[in-house]
């Protein structure tokens, strides 16, 4: 009889121990903001790697070719960190760019010469504005430290890319995306000439609302656009 009581007590202690462990595991899961940022920035990297290849293959201006090579290298390195972080957190990443990003790739594949250069620079400018905005959102709203640190590391690289793109656009006489007072990017100064990578509403926005916080390549009205200096 005493043995049965001891077994019951042991079972109770085991159950008590399991509950906090399960709760701790649940608490360790990344937030919707962190999860969607990882997924979205991974899609940005997939797009940039492909677009970088296209710039090297089809660019008419040597500056387009050179910048495409740099963007491919930097985004490949960034994506290694993204994949490692996602794996550690159990976040499943998409295996292809968003539908909007793929639409831009299709347009780039069908363009050539000066038209290709203009489309490539315009879409890259718009996409980097939005990627920077999403990264700023992750830094300010993210809760998982490893994802926030990833965003903090990525931000200077994205800003450097944007600055290089602005210089190239000025050199080639290509309009630089302007922003409204609310910070909404207008690709090519018109908002209609070419879609930004991931610029539609199909990709989830970090933050989980789908409207308030931007996904890389998605529009926003809350975060200021990067400086052009």
């Amino acid at each position: 009889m005493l043995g049965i009581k001891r077994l019951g007590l042991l079972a109770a202690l085991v159950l008590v121990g399991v509950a906090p462990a399960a709760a701790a595991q649940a608490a360790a899961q990344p937030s919707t903001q962190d999860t969607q940022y990882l997924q979205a920035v991974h899609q940005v990297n997939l797009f940039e790697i492909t677009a970088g290849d296209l710039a090297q293959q089809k660019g008419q201006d040597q500056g387009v070719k050179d910048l495409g090579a740099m963007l491919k290298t930097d985004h490949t390195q960034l994506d290694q960190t993204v994949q490692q972080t996602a794996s550690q957190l159990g976040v499943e990443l998409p295996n292809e760019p968003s539908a909007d990003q793929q639409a831009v790739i299709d347009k780039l594949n069908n363009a050539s010469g000066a038209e290709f250069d203009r489309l490539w620079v315009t879409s890259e400018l718009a996409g980097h504005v939005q990627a920077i905005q999403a990264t700023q959102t992750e830094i300010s709203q993210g809760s998982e430290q490893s994802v926030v640190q990833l965003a903090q590391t990525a931000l200077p690289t994205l800003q450097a890319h944007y600055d290089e793109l602005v210089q190239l656009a000025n050199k080639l006489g290509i309009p630089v995306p302007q922003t409204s007072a609310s910070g909404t990017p207008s690709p090519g100064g018109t908002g209609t000439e070419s879609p930004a990578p991931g610029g539609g509403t199909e990709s989830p926005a970090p933050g989980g609302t789908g409207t308030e916080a931007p996904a890389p390549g998605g529009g926003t009205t809350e975060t200021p656009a990067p400086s052009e200096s």
Side-chain angles (χ1 to χ4, degrees):
M1 189 71 180
L2 183 58
I4 294 175
K5 288 183 177 179
R6 285 180 177 175
L7 287 174
L9 178 60
L10 179 61
L13 289 174
V14 169
L15 289 174
V16 169
V18 167
Q25 183 178 6
Q29 296 300 309
S31 68
T32 300
Q33 162 68 34
D34 297 323
T35 296
Q36 292 185 341
Y37 177 74
L38 285 173
Q39 293 170 338
V41 78
H42 175 61
Q43 288 184 305
V44 166
N45 292 331
L46 293 179
F47 170 85
E48 292 297 341
I49 291 167
T50 300
D53 278 336
L54 289 174
Q56 294 174 77
Q57 296 167 13
K58 304 185 67 174
Q60 176 174 281
D61 186 85
Q62 187 61 42
V64 171
K65 293 178 178 290
D66 293 343
L67 190 52
M70 184 180 80
L71 264 58
K72 178 183 177 181
T73 297
D74 290 350
H75 281 276
T76 297
Q77 293 175 348
L78 173 59
D79 204 54
Q80 291 174 352
T81 305
V82 171
Q83 292 187 51
Q84 181 181 8
T85 303
S87 177
Q88 292 171 346
L89 297 175
V91 173
E92 184 176 352
L93 297 176
N95 56 15
E96 59 186 12
S98 70
D100 291 325
Q101 290 165 335
Q102 187 58 52
V104 176
I105 292 171
D106 292 342
K107 286 191 174 184
L108 290 171
N109 275 318
N110 292 326
S112 60
E115 178 191 0
F116 174 89
D117 288 354
R118 181 197 63 78
L119 179 60
W120 187 84
V121 172
T122 300
S123 61
E124 286 289 345
L125 280 165
H128 274 78
V129 166
Q130 295 157 347
I132 287 169
Q133 291 170 338
T135 300
Q136 291 170 333
T137 298
E138 172 60 27
I139 292 172
S140 64
Q141 299 181 14
S143 55
E144 172 57 47
Q145 191 58 35
S146 62
V147 184
V148 173
Q149 288 177 347
L150 185 155
Q152 290 172 334
T153 301
L155 185 58
T157 300
L158 294 171
Q159 182 68 60
H161 290 174
Y162 179 81
D163 293 342
E164 291 284 346
L165 286 161
V166 168
Q167 292 181 25
L168 181 59
N170 290 335
K171 170 192 167 187
L172 298 177
I174 297 171
V176 174
Q178 301 299 313
T179 57
S180 66
S182 61
T184 304
S186 300
T190 66
T192 58
E193 291 185 3
S194 63
T201 57
E202 296 179 12
S203 300
T209 64
T211 56
E212 293 180 359
T220 181
T221 57
E222 294 190 351
T223 310
S227 63
E228 297 181 8
S229 59

